[in-house]
Amino acid sequence: MCPPQVFMMAVSAGSTMIKMNAQQKAGEAQKKASDREARQIKIDRDMGKVQAMQRQTARVQEYLSAEKSNMAVFSASGVDVDSASQVAFAEANAVTVGEDVSAIALQADYESRTRTVESQLATARGKNALSASYANQMGTATEGIYNLATIWDG
């Protein structure tokens, strides 16, 4: 074997190894990025739950405040606050608040489930990117072996 072939084989082997290393690093970087995205989505999901609880609490407090104001106005106007119509009015308002709080909880649950799926998809994307980089590395290794064999026979 003559020295130019040895040089060409060394260059081919070196470039193959560099390319394989770059493919591995790219896959690992994509996986890390996807894992970070998944963690951020989970944090956003948890924040959404907290915000929903805050909205529910605010809605109940708003109802209680309005109920007290209504009672004060009715009492000041001489309206019997214990009359059947006033009790029905208060009950209807309480039902509305209950429906509002339930709607807030339902929306929060939907958003939470959506974010959970998004997080799982981000994690899967990272794993798939890493697996693809391994497959690319094998292709590069095979290509490098072929190049070395071609140089050797040449």
Side-chain angles (χ1 to χ4, degrees):
M1 180 174 1
C2 64
Q5 283 179 315
V6 172
F7 176 74
M8 289 173 53
M9 289 176 75
V11 168
S12 179
S15 68
T16 298
M17 295 303 291
I18 290 170
K19 187 174 178 183
M20 288 174 64
N21 188 33
Q23 289 169 331
Q24 179 181 352
K25 298 275 189 224
E28 289 170 352
Q30 181 59 47
K31 183 171 184 328
K32 283 182 183 178
S34 294
D35 288 346
R36 274 194 306 274
E37 180 184 2
R39 280 192 304 276
Q40 185 59 50
I41 291 169
K42 288 177 183 176
I43 290 168
D44 291 346
R45 178 194 63 200
D46 294 342
M47 287 297 297
K49 289 178 183 179
V50 170
Q51 290 170 343
M53 288 189 304
Q54 290 172 336
R55 287 193 308 272
Q56 288 174 317
T57 300
R59 180 63 182 106
V60 170
Q61 289 174 344
E62 174 188 308
Y63 161 73
L64 293 174
S65 176
E67 183 179 37
K68 287 178 186 175
S69 294
N70 287 340
M71 294 301 250
V73 169
F74 292 147
S75 292
S77 302
V79 175
D80 181 13
V81 292
D82 293 324
S83 71
S85 62
Q86 291 304 319
V87 170
F89 174 74
E91 287 175 359
N93 284 339
V95 167
T96 300
V97 170
E99 290 171 350
D100 291 350
V101 169
S102 292
I104 292 168
L106 181 64
Q107 181 66 29
D109 183 58
Y110 171 77
E111 289 174 5
S112 174
R113 290 173 190 261
T114 299
R115 288 186 176 125
T116 298
V117 170
E118 289 173 354
S119 172
Q120 292 168 343
L121 290 173
T123 299
R125 276 193 304 273
K127 288 178 182 176
N128 291 341
L130 189 57
S131 294
S133 77
Y134 293 150
N136 288 337
Q137 283 180 289
M138 292 297 100
T140 299
T142 304
E143 182 182 321
I145 291 168
Y146 174 79
N147 288 341
L148 290 174
T150 303
I151 293 168
W152 182 268
D153 291 339

